[in-house]
Amino acid sequence: MTIRELLKSKPGDVVTIDIGDTIGAAARKMTAHKIAALVVTRLAHPVGVVSEQDVVVAVAEHGAQAGERPLSRLVEATIESITPDSTLKQAMSMMTHARLRHLPVISDDELVGIVSLGDIVKNRLEELSLERDVLRDIYIAAH
């Protein structure tokens, strides 16, 4: 299965935040949308991802003042991303090796979606369930 196919099953648009915003603004936006990560953009182009974990680390390091710090302090110099034509196996490998929970999907420097570890696990569980059902039906038909 490709990332493009997986994205078709996901509802809604990707929630983003501008790199000029603060860590506190990111935390409020994640809370309002009930999500664990935001794609950070500069001039509408994706430049990174900020997650709940990033916010927690910032608060642990800087206390209450963390909320006033700019997101640019959290965003890495390069963005880890994947293309819509990549496979789920490629996404799993990248997420495992880079220890990522969220992976932006980018095509021609434009954000087209985001894939989470949960999306991939859900898809894999559905595949395993289908395989189990097919094997059970084959077994029943043989007896």
Side-chain angles (χ1 to χ4, degrees):
M1 172 180 259
T2 65
I3 297 298
R4 183 184 321 280
E5 293 168 313
L6 178 67
L7 290 176
K8 288 178 184 176
S9 67
K10 291 185 62 161
D13 294 327
V14 179
V15 182
T16 64
I17 191 163
D18 188 80
I19 197 161
D21 282 330
T22 63
I23 295 170
R28 288 187 293 278
K29 200 167 203 179
M30 283 186 267
T31 300
H33 289 276
K34 296 181 179 159
I35 55 176
L38 300 167
V39 175
V40 180
T41 60
R42 177 183 288 125
L43 302 173
H45 295 286
V47 295
V49 175
V50 62
S51 69
E52 293 171 321
Q53 184 178 8
D54 297 325
V55 173
V56 169
V57 169
V59 171
E61 291 176 355
H62 305 287
Q65 293 78 24
E68 299 307 315
R69 294 175 65 85
L71 279 175
S72 58
R73 301 274 179 107
L74 294 181
V75 176
E76 300 292 325
T78 58
I79 183 173
E80 294 282 345
S81 65
I82 201 154
T83 68
D85 295 322
S86 300
T87 65
L88 285 183
K89 186 174 181 179
Q90 289 170 317
M92 284 189 284
S93 177
M94 181 182 280
M95 293 172 94
T96 300
H97 294 315
R99 301 182 58 96
L100 302 170
R101 293 183 182 143
H102 301 88
L103 198 54
V105 182
I106 299 174
S107 179
D108 297 325
D109 200 33
E110 296 294 321
L111 180 66
V112 295
I114 190 167
V115 177
S116 72
L117 195 53
D119 296 331
I120 291 173
V121 168
K122 179 182 176 215
N123 177 269
R124 186 64 185 129
L125 288 173
E126 289 170 357
E127 286 177 349
L128 290 172
S129 179
L130 178 62
E131 288 174 21
R132 181 200 66 218
D133 292 347
V134 168
L135 290 172
R136 184 189 64 228
D137 291 346
I138 290 170
Y139 176 79
I140 290 171
H143 287 91

